Amino acid sequence: MFESIQKWEPDVVPRHIYMWERIRGFPLHICNEVCFEGIFAKLSNLVKVDDETSSLSILEFARLLVRMEISFTISSHKRVQVKGGIYLVSILLRRL
């Protein structure tokens, strides 16, 4: 996935990367694209929810493709509040 293609020059530096996030700890009743977009809007841009996550074929984790700034770092655990519940979720990032 490329935003643009241009001739390389020393001062051309990418600002964003695409990564797959694996998220554990979400209860099934809140696993949907709207929920993921809201929770991770501050961290990155949601590009795609994995088909197996959308269909609930895999219940162990949710898998999301996100676009984030290269300089951004993320902790491996995060507390999120959704529909009155507070959940501790675990996030594993995989660079494309």
Side-chain angles (χ1 to χ4, degrees):
M1 293 183 191
F2 296 98
E3 292 176 3
S4 66
I5 297 176
Q6 57 190 14
K7 182 180 175 184
W8 180 85
E9 294 180 19
D11 62 337
V12 174
V13 178
R15 294 179 296 168
H16 297 94
I17 57 173
Y18 290 84
M19 299 181 82
W20 281 103
E21 290 186 12
R22 242 185 219 191
I23 303 161
R24 298 176 189 274
F26 273 96
L28 292 177
H29 70 281
I30 64 167
C31 279
N32 62 54
E33 191 166 336
V34 173
C35 175
F36 293 135
E37 284 177 348
I39 291 170
F40 295 100
K42 294 179 184 177
L43 306 175
S44 58
N45 294 341
L46 180 63
V47 176
K48 177 178 174 40
V49 175
D50 182 70
D51 292 339
E52 292 178 333
T53 297
S54 294
S55 67
L56 299 177
S57 298
I58 294 180
L59 303 177
E60 183 180 352
F61 54 83
R63 192 167 172 251
L64 312 172
L65 180 61
V66 297
R67 176 182 172 260
M68 60 181 21
E69 291 185 25
I70 287 179
S71 61
F72 189 82
T73 57
I74 189 169
S75 65
S76 60
H77 292 86
K78 179 175 176 55
R79 288 190 190 282
V80 296
Q81 183 174 356
V82 179
K83 296 182 180 178
I86 297 177
Y87 306 96
L88 178 64
V89 297
S90 160
I91 302 171
L92 173 65
L93 299 176
R94 292 181 184 248
R95 188 177 260 184
L96 286 178

